[in-house]
């Protein structure tokens, strides 16, 4: 004989969830650290201004063959140059920004100079980043006497001013664009090395490292798969800021005559070099490339500082 179940009381029946009056509750999807950082940067006027400058600089450099009226070494206005007169901006319709002492179109040289600066900045920063990460990883990964030796070498390099170290290396390697890239990259290696080592040492005391050790993971696995990826944030930010330094250093080395190339070659630092003797009759030859260098460095600096602020909770404004 089957048992008759008692009727369920009202209290035993779970009430159906009621939808709030304002409609269904919206839940934010989880975002990564980088996703949250870029979301904050989209609301930061400083980051927007920096990103706009950097994007404009990159587009001009990439599209130089299309945007520039003449090639980087062309001298279309040689017939317009006299010992006492150089056409200034607005004087000749076909040369909106005037001519230089050699008869080159200043507008074209500024555009091609952006490409040269971008190439030198990217390659030199990449060289410094790779070299610094190798030293920082070795120092933080092995520790002990290896860490002491590597860091003492880094301290010696850091004791030399950045530009002076780059000038010394470029002078030894020779007056070529490749020497400039290597010199600037080598001068940035100790900065990246110390930054990565410091970040990795900080991450090694995190809870997730202790959990990984408890699970029996090897030190190599923990370092390469967990500590290193979580230590790259400050290094990426520094790489963005280093691009601004690289653009300025490249112009400085070219200004000092260490960049190689012919005098009429389009490069902002070289344009400043050959504008020194023409300041009395053609000051635009110095002002225009100087403004380009300053604005480009400002763009990378604004973007890098905004990225640092967005990634570092201690420096966020909101």
């Amino acid at each position: 004989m089957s048992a008759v179940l008692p009727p369920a009381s009202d209290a035993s029946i779970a009430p159906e969830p009621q939808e709030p009056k304002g409609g269904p509750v919206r839940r934010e999807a989880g975002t990564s650290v980088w996703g949250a950082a870029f979301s904050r940067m989209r609301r930061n006027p400083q980051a927007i201004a920096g990103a706009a400058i950097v994007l404009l600089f990159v587009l001009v450099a990439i599209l130089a063959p299309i945007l520039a009226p003449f090639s980087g070494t062309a001298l279309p206005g040689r017939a317009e140059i006299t010992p006492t007169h150089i056409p200034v901006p607005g004087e000749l319709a076909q040369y909106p920004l005037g001519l230089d002492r050699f008869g080159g179109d200043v507008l074209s040289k500024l555009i091609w100079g952006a490409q040269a600066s971008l190439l030198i900045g990217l390659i030199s920063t990449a060289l410094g980043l790779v070299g610094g990460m190798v030293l920082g990883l070795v120092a933080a990964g092995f520790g002990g006497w290896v860490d002491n030796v590597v860091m003492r070498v880094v301290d010696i390099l850091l004791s030399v001013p950045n530009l002076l170290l780059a000038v010394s290396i470029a002078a030894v390697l020779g007056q070529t664009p490749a020497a400039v890239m290597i010199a600037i990259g080598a001068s940035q290696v100790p900065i990246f090395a110390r930054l990565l080592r410091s970040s990795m040492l900080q991450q090694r005391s995190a809870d997730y490292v202790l959990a990984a050790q408890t699970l029996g993971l090897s030190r190599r696995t923990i370092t390469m798969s967990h500590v290193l990826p979580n230590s790259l944030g400050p290094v990426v930010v520094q790489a963005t800021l280093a691009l601004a330094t690289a653009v300025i250093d490249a112009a400085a080395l070219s200004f000092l005559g260490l960049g190689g190339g012919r005098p009429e070659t389009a490069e902002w630092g070289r344009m400043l070099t050959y504008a020194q003797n023409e300041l009395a009759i053609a000051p635009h030859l110095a002002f225009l490339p100087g403004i380009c260098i300053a604005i480009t460095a400002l763009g990378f600096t604004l973007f890098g500082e905004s990225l640092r602020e967005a990634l570092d909770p201690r420096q966020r404004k909101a």
Side-chain angles (χ1 to χ4, degrees), residues 11-318:
S12 64
I13 301 176
E16 293 185 2
Q18 299 293 323
E19 187 176 288
K21 294 181 180 180
V25 178
R26 297 180 61 186
R27 299 181 180 178
E28 276 191 28
T31 56
S32 64
V33 174
W34 288 98
F38 282 111
S39 177
R40 284 188 291 271
M41 290 179 67
R42 285 197 296 268
R43 301 190 296 269
N44 187 345
Q46 176 178 302
I48 295 174
I53 295 173
V54 171
L55 181 60
L56 177 63
F57 169 66
V58 172
L59 288 177
V60 170
I62 294 176
L63 300 177
I66 300 174
L67 298 177
F70 306 96
S71 68
T73 56
L75 304 174
R78 281 178 293 182
E80 308 290 341
I81 305 298
T82 66
T84 58
H85 177 71
I86 298 176
V88 298
E91 184 175 335
L92 299 175
Q94 62 270 38
Y95 310 117
L97 296 182
L99 298 171
D100 62 11
R101 168 53 69 187
F102 306 101
D105 177 40
V106 174
L107 175 61
S108 299
K109 289 200 170 186
L110 290 175
I111 294 174
W112 285 104
Q115 187 179 82
S117 297
L118 178 63
L119 184 63
I120 292 174
L122 288 177
I123 294 179
S124 59
T125 301
L127 292 175
L129 178 63
V130 173
M133 287 183 61
V134 170
L135 291 181
L137 179 60
V138 169
F142 288 94
W145 68 268
V146 175
D147 184 17
N148 290 330
V149 171
V150 172
M151 284 299 103
R152 295 302 74 78
V153 173
V154 169
D155 289 340
I156 293 173
L157 294 176
L158 285 174
S159 66
V160 182
N162 191 48
L163 182 57
L164 179 58
L165 181 60
V167 169
S168 303
I169 296 173
V172 172
L173 295 179
Q175 300 179 2
T176 62
V180 170
M181 297 176 193
I182 295 174
I184 297 175
S187 67
Q188 294 178 349
V189 165
I191 301 174
F192 287 114
R194 180 165 285 278
L195 186 60
L196 181 61
R197 172 186 176 271
S198 175
S199 182
M200 290 184 66
L201 292 180
Q202 183 180 6
Q203 291 293 328
R204 278 169 53 178
S205 60
D207 292 339
Y208 70 86
V209 175
L210 180 60
Q213 292 173 346
T214 305
L215 293 174
L217 297 180
S218 65
R219 181 176 179 179
R220 179 176 178 272
T221 301
I222 295 174
T223 300
M224 301 303 296
S225 301
H226 300 281
V227 176
L228 179 60
N230 286 284
S231 304
L232 293 179
V235 179
V236 173
V237 173
Q238 180 59 38
T240 306
L241 295 172
L243 280 168
T245 305
V247 171
I248 297 175
D249 288 349
L253 293 178
S254 294
F255 179 80
L256 295 173
L258 297 173
R262 296 183 295 175
E264 66 272 16
T265 302
E267 204 280 323
W268 292 341
R270 189 176 291 106
M271 293 174 70
L272 286 173
T273 301
Y274 292 99
Q276 294 179 85
N277 299 327
E278 318 297 344
L279 291 177
I281 60 175
H284 69 283
L285 297 180
F287 291 155
L288 293 176
I291 291 172
C292 290
I293 294 171
I295 292 178
T296 302
L298 176 64
F300 281 111
T301 301
L302 289 176
F303 185 79
E305 289 292 343
S306 301
L307 182 58
R308 172 184 292 172
E309 182 182 289
L311 288 172
D312 190 351
R314 295 169 298 181
Q315 298 190 20
R316 290 177 200 156
K317 296 179 182 177

